[in-house]
Amino acid sequence: MDKPPLPQMLQGSKVIVTAGGTVERLDPVRYITNDSSGKMGFAIAKAAKQMGADVRIIAGNTSAAPPEGIAVERVGSAQDMYEAVMRHWEDCSMLVMAAAVADYRPKEEAPSKLKKQGDTLQLELVKTVDILESLGQRKTKQFLIGFAAETEQLDRYAREKLERKNCDLLVANDVTVAGAGFGTDTNAVHIYDRNGLVEQLPVMSKYEVAYRLLTAAAVRMDRA
Ligand code: CTP
Ligand code: CA
């Protein structure tokens, strides 16, 4: 049986959701990425659409399939993801940064395959653009949702990130908790706003987390 439709709390909103891990190339056949499956971002995109939003997904490397009926733009590096988000930034009402963006990339991307040489190899890495922080500094009407996957001091790091990146909501999860790590269909998150902890959700499906998160966002957008 079909589930009843979700309340149309995001009717008229343009929502961008980033998902998956970025890919930072070393040469044409090698790269640095991470374990992000894209499932959390995809669940948010699906829930946002079902709540009436006009949704666009900007996805890096993912192992999960994106939800049907939603525009998906594929990107590689953090820089590519930044540029893709920027192209839709002006008329966007909400940006959800669920992607696992690499913090560093190889300083040089070799145009041809690197050859094996000595017994050791030093790779020089340089910082990538922080997409969320950069957009947090220039937001006007956009509602910003950030993520933080932590292994310790969840509350402290979550609050710090929310402030530093000028987010409206921040979703933090402790990846050491069973059912809350990368690649699972479930998550257990803490949601923060500027005033502190808003909700502490037990393990539930990523789709349910998405719905609870977007409801918290929609209520706050209405107040703004
Ligand atoms: N993020 C981003 N651009 C980056 C790094 C992170 O937009 N270059 C976003 C992520 O998509 C996430 C939020 O910032 O929504 C927090 O990411 P996280 O990796 O937890 O925070 P960092 O600031 O990178 O700090 P650290 O990895 O040291 O914990
Ligand atoms: Ca990081």
Side-chain angles (χ1 to χ4, degrees):
M1 217 173 69
D2 280 352
K3 285 185 183 160
L6 297 181
Q8 300 294 292
M9 292 173 86
L10 293 176
Q11 190 83 55
S13 301
K14 287 202 171 187
V15 175
I16 300 174
V17 182
T18 67
T22 63
V23 170
E24 311 299 331
R25 291 220 155 259
L26 187 56
D27 71 12
V29 297
R30 302 183 180 99
Y31 53 81
I32 298 173
T33 189
N34 58 63
D35 279 336
S36 173
S37 64
K39 284 180 180 173
M40 192 64 240
F42 290 164
I44 291 169
K46 184 175 172 182
K49 183 169 188 236
Q50 290 180 344
M51 291 169 79
D54 173 1
V55 185
R56 167 171 295 270
I57 295 171
I58 297 174
N61 191 33
T62 64
S63 50
E68 279 173 28
I70 299 178
V72 183
E73 205 168 319
R74 289 282 174 182
V75 295
S77 65
Q79 184 63 33
D80 294 343
M81 183 172 277
Y82 174 71
E83 287 169 18
V85 171
M86 281 309 293
R87 280 196 290 278
H88 302 283
W89 174 248
E90 283 308 325
D91 59 348
C92 144
S93 26
M94 184 197 291
L95 170 66
V96 186
M97 279 300 301
V101 184
D103 293 333
Y104 295 91
R105 63 171 171 84
K107 188 174 180 197
E108 312 285 352
E109 182 184 337
S112 50
K113 192 183 160 200
L114 294 168
K115 297 308 284 178
K116 180 163 56 183
Q117 289 177 356
D119 288 342
T120 60
L121 173 69
Q122 295 253 2
L123 277 183
E124 195 174 354
L125 304 178
V126 293
K127 233 187 211 152
T128 56
V129 53
D130 192 314
I131 304 169
L132 189 54
E133 188 168 336
S134 150
L135 294 176
Q137 283 166 4
R138 66 175 90 164
K139 75 172 175 184
T140 49
K141 58 182 179 174
Q142 295 89 350
F143 192 91
L144 276 192
I145 304 183
F147 277 75
E150 308 290 352
T151 55
E152 57 180 359
Q153 299 193 56
L154 192 71
D155 191 77
R156 186 184 136 210
Y157 288 140
R159 287 159 179 263
E160 269 177 21
K161 280 179 192 169
L162 182 132
E163 283 294 327
R164 176 157 51 90
K165 306 198 186 207
N166 200 17
C167 295
D168 298 289
L169 284 178
L170 190 124
V171 186
N173 63 320
D174 181 341
V175 291
T176 63
V177 169
F182 278 150
T184 55
D185 289 319
T186 54
N187 207 351
V189 306
H190 295 211
I191 302 174
Y192 298 84
D193 72 4
R194 297 196 160 275
N195 301 317
L197 185 66
V198 173
E199 274 192 282
Q200 182 170 343
L201 302 177
V203 176
M204 57 180 67
S205 74
K206 285 185 172 171
Y207 183 76
E208 184 70 25
V209 171
Y211 174 59
R212 301 279 286 263
L213 169 66
L214 292 172
T215 301
V219 169
R220 286 166 176 76
M221 283 170 94
D222 278 351
R223 272 193 230 135

